[in-house]
Amino acid sequence: MPITNRDLRHCTAILALLVAGCFPGVLAAQGNRGIFRRPVAPVVEEEKVLTAVRVRDSIDRGVNFLKRSQLQDGSWGDFATYEGGVTALVTLAMLNSGIPADDNSLVKSFASLDQIDIESSSVYVVSLMTMVYCYALPETHKGRIRECAEYLTNAQYKNNAGNGGWSYKTRNSNSPDSSNTQFALLALHEAALVGIEIPVPVWTASKQYWERLRDPRNGGFFYAPLLNTASGSMSCAAISSLVIIDENLPQQVRVENGKIQCCGDEDHLELVEGASQWLANNFTVRSNPPPDNEMQQNWLYYLYGMERAARLTGQRFFGTHDWYREGAIHLLDKQTTNGSWLGASNHGEANADISTAYALLFLSKGKRPIVIGKYKHTDDNDWDRHRQGVHYLTRQLEQDWKTTLNWQSIEGSVATADDLLECPVLFISGRDELRLNEDQKKALREYVDYGGFIFAEACQGDGCGDNVPFDQSFRALMDELFPGSKLQLLNENHPVFSSQYTLTQNPDRPLYGLQSSCRTSVIYCPKNLAGFWKHNRSSSLEMLANGPQNEVKLCIQLGANVVAYATGREVKDKLDRPQTMVDTNMGLGPRTVLIPKLSHGGGDDDAPNAWQNIIRRAQFDLGERFRIERHMIRATEEQLAEFPMVFMHGRSAFVWNNEERLALREFLTNRGGFLFADSICSANGFTESFRNELRQIIPDAALQVIPANDPIWSKTNGGYDLQQVGMHRPAAAGGGVEYYRSAPQLEGIQVKGRWVVVFSPNDLSCAMENASPLQCAGYDHDDAARIGVNVILFSLQP
């Protein structure tokens, strides 16, 4: 049976006697922490768990080591004959670790790099310098970047033996190799991104170079043309290089009658897929595979290459291996007490500055936020007909938001809701019928329930066919997953049309939305979008006339708006993803509390997942056991007196009758009951009705602001310190969202010196359903959950 108020009073007296008699001093030492608290499952030692906090701390300690090891002249010394190479590598690592370019240590390092004579330098050093300048100061160093790019272009081999590759020094000084070649391509790619024109033959010849370095037996790649053993580091180098080459080679755009034709034959980079499979078959994060590889000790260099290869191809897994988590756990284990890493190689990793820089590049770049995930729902390519589309949409978002972002692919057949939640936006695309099994459907529904957002398109029209099966099957799937909601054409006032660019509904590419509880959680376009996103680069746009060019721009803006709306332009590091919580449909136990929702007729169940998510958060964080179900109760039901607290929320005006008011007065003033309420989406209609009803229910006690220093916002009852919480509201001008910190802005009523009502006129419910901050002013998701947990814990005190 659930614990009732009657049981609560009886158990309180017994428990107090037992604890005081058997364990003197315990009550005084621990304070009153609530009789419903049950022992939490043993906590896994913090050092055994990979968290964003641990990774950030590791990065900070690595950066501090490098700052301490910097020399007076601003450099980090030299390795062999590569003057400036270590300094450029360390500077690049520190920039990616979040150290601003105007930091004193980097100001000195830039001054040191500016002294390097490019013409007498080497490919490695010039490549690293190029990346440094492009990352932090592209406009300031535009001339220097151009000079570096010209050096690298001229240093490329142009003869038959090594055509398309690079070596340690300038052309023809010695044989080209895959390591120098990948660094040169990385640098030229960054130069191209900041506006330096790179001749097309450079990319064409490089593609031919890598084609010759592939091992036909297994798909791996060699270090040099005369070697015949594939390695992990060189297979990673090949993946990154081939993706970069593909991005920079001019793409053919099919245009018929002034319209872009999207669904042509696409190159799916078979060499990249083969190298990825080789890495899956030989995966390790402890050395450079395979075991008999003469370069196996180049462990950190290999991890840096792995990060780049996985990020550029959007892979979270190589085979069954979560490459970032496995690599980060191993790196954190190997970090020394002074914050550095030290490899065992004679090729540079015996130098702590070099090893630490490689480790920092892996940790910092690999944890960049995932903004969108592509959902793989077929074994063929129907899920990814426009392979480069999401890549270029992410590139546009990086430019718009002025930050670094990642995307990734999700294997739908094995992905759990937790896996999907790593992506705040899940992109589902196709032309053929969408066929998902029951596990996939369950995961998608849980993904949305826990705050995920589905963005879908049908590969329809524009040369992809009409009346494609995907369209009807996706609509049917939404009907099945969300039976209470329908995909409907979005009103032009919907915030998605102003979240990034100012747009309107376009009849050629209409947007449909599905309202799940208090938010639009699915947006669907029944026409191609990604097929146009892939042309959002200068080399493609220059080939197009104004009409098709404008169509590309419209589609990229539509995509950017949907993602900006879904995320509020706020994304978390990869390791900060939300998670589904413990199964709350458990049997009743001796310390189980059933907390129902109060019925009132003003939208009393308009955000059905909000209360459940708060309860789940309490269970997940604190080990409390509560029973949650869609249990609505009227104020006049006799059963009301059996519950220690009730919850209510709504979004519109309501009125109780006198019988209901009397019942609630009895519950709150004489039965020890507690009422927790919030206004869904900060709705004025509900807020005013609630305040008016409380004035009639308890006329001799008015709602008052709960002070910021009240124990309810402290850890007194086992919850959180909430002196300051995160809030948001629509920006006053220019659109967007304003984020700020504040004391909790909740109101309450006290009876006999104890809060019996706690009310939030600012939204908690939509935050708990991960609604877009563009829709609702209120608390951010995490602090909304913490407020809810603190209120629950307070309400259950005797």
Side-chain angles (χ1 to χ4, degrees), residues 259-277:
K259 292 285 187 179
I260 293 175
Q261 303 299 292
C262 291
C263 287
D265 295 330
E266 291 214 14
D267 175 15
H268 279 269
L269 294 180
E270 292 181 1
L271 296 184
V272 168
E273 293 172 359
S276 297
Q277 186 59 52

Side-chain angles (χ1 to χ4, degrees), residues 200-461:
V200 171
V202 170
W203 308 112
T204 305
S206 296
K207 183 178 182 181
Q208 295 169 354
Y209 171 86
W210 283 108
E211 288 171 346
R212 293 195 300 271
L213 270 291
R214 177 180 177 271
D215 188 337
R217 299 166 296 183
N218 53 38
F221 281 79
F222 307 142
Y223 171 73
L226 299 180
L227 300 180
N228 60 2
T229 301
S231 70
S233 56
M234 293 304 99
S235 296
C236 289
I239 291 172
S240 303
S241 298
L242 288 166
V243 171
I244 284 172
I245 292 166
D246 183 63
E247 182 171 334
N248 284 280
L249 281 174
Q251 301 294 314
Q252 187 64 37
V253 185
R254 290 197 305 130
V255 179
E256 295 180 8
N257 299 320
K259 292 285 187 179
I260 293 175
Q261 303 299 292
C262 291
C263 287
D265 295 330
E266 291 214 14
D267 175 15
H268 279 269
L269 294 180
E270 292 181 1
L271 296 184
V272 168
E273 293 172 359
S276 297
Q277 186 59 52
W278 187 95
L279 285 171
N281 295 339
N282 295 274
F283 187 87
T284 179
V285 294
R286 297 177 177 274
S287 65
N288 185 5
D292 58 350
N293 169 29
E294 65 179 23
M295 299 173 63
Q296 65 173 301
Q297 291 186 339
N298 291 334
W299 160 56
L300 292 157
Y301 170 80
Y302 155 64
L303 285 185
Y304 172 42
M306 179 193 295
E307 169 276 319
R308 190 166 52 252
R311 185 169 47 82
L312 288 174
T313 55
Q315 296 185 78
R316 177 182 166 189
F317 295 95
F318 284 113
T320 60
H321 297 278
D322 189 327
W323 62 269
Y324 182 73
R325 284 172 175 79
E326 290 189 33
I329 287 170
H330 190 54
L331 280 173
L332 268 58
D333 182 59
K334 293 297 182 181
Q335 189 172 21
T336 67
T337 56
N338 68 6
S340 70
W341 283 267
L342 196 61
S345 169
N346 293 325
H347 295 279
E349 291 187 16
N351 180 312
D353 294 337
I354 293 175
S355 291
T356 301
Y358 283 144
L360 290 177
L361 285 165
F362 178 93
L363 290 173
S364 61
K365 296 177 74 176
K367 76 178 184 69
R368 287 179 181 174
I370 304 294
V371 69
I372 187 169
K374 295 194 292 186
Y375 187 71
K376 183 179 180 182
H377 55 83
T378 60
D379 290 331
D380 58 20
N381 73 337
D382 186 58
W383 68 282
D384 199 24
R385 289 184 179 274
H386 309 300
R387 174 178 53 82
Q388 296 173 312
V390 165
H391 176 79
Y392 283 102
L393 175 61
T394 304
R395 181 69 56 75
Q396 184 66 47
L397 293 171
E398 286 186 308
Q399 295 175 19
D400 291 343
W401 300 359
K402 294 179 174 54
T403 189
T404 53
L405 300 167
N406 283 341
W407 60 275
Q408 69 182 22
S409 299
I410 303 289
E411 182 68 56
S413 62
V414 297
T416 65
D418 277 335
D419 295 325
L420 298 178
L421 281 166
E422 189 164 289
C423 306
V425 178
L426 189 67
F427 184 66
I428 305 178
S429 176
R431 184 174 67 185
D432 303 334
E433 182 181 358
L434 183 62
R435 297 180 179 180
L436 304 183
N437 60 39
E438 292 305 313
D439 287 341
Q440 288 174 287
K441 294 175 184 178
K442 179 176 181 291
L444 282 177
R445 179 59 201 249
E446 287 184 357
Y447 168 73
V448 171
D449 284 348
Y450 280 98
F453 184 94
I454 294 175
F455 180 16
E457 66 155 11
C459 295
Q460 184 165 231

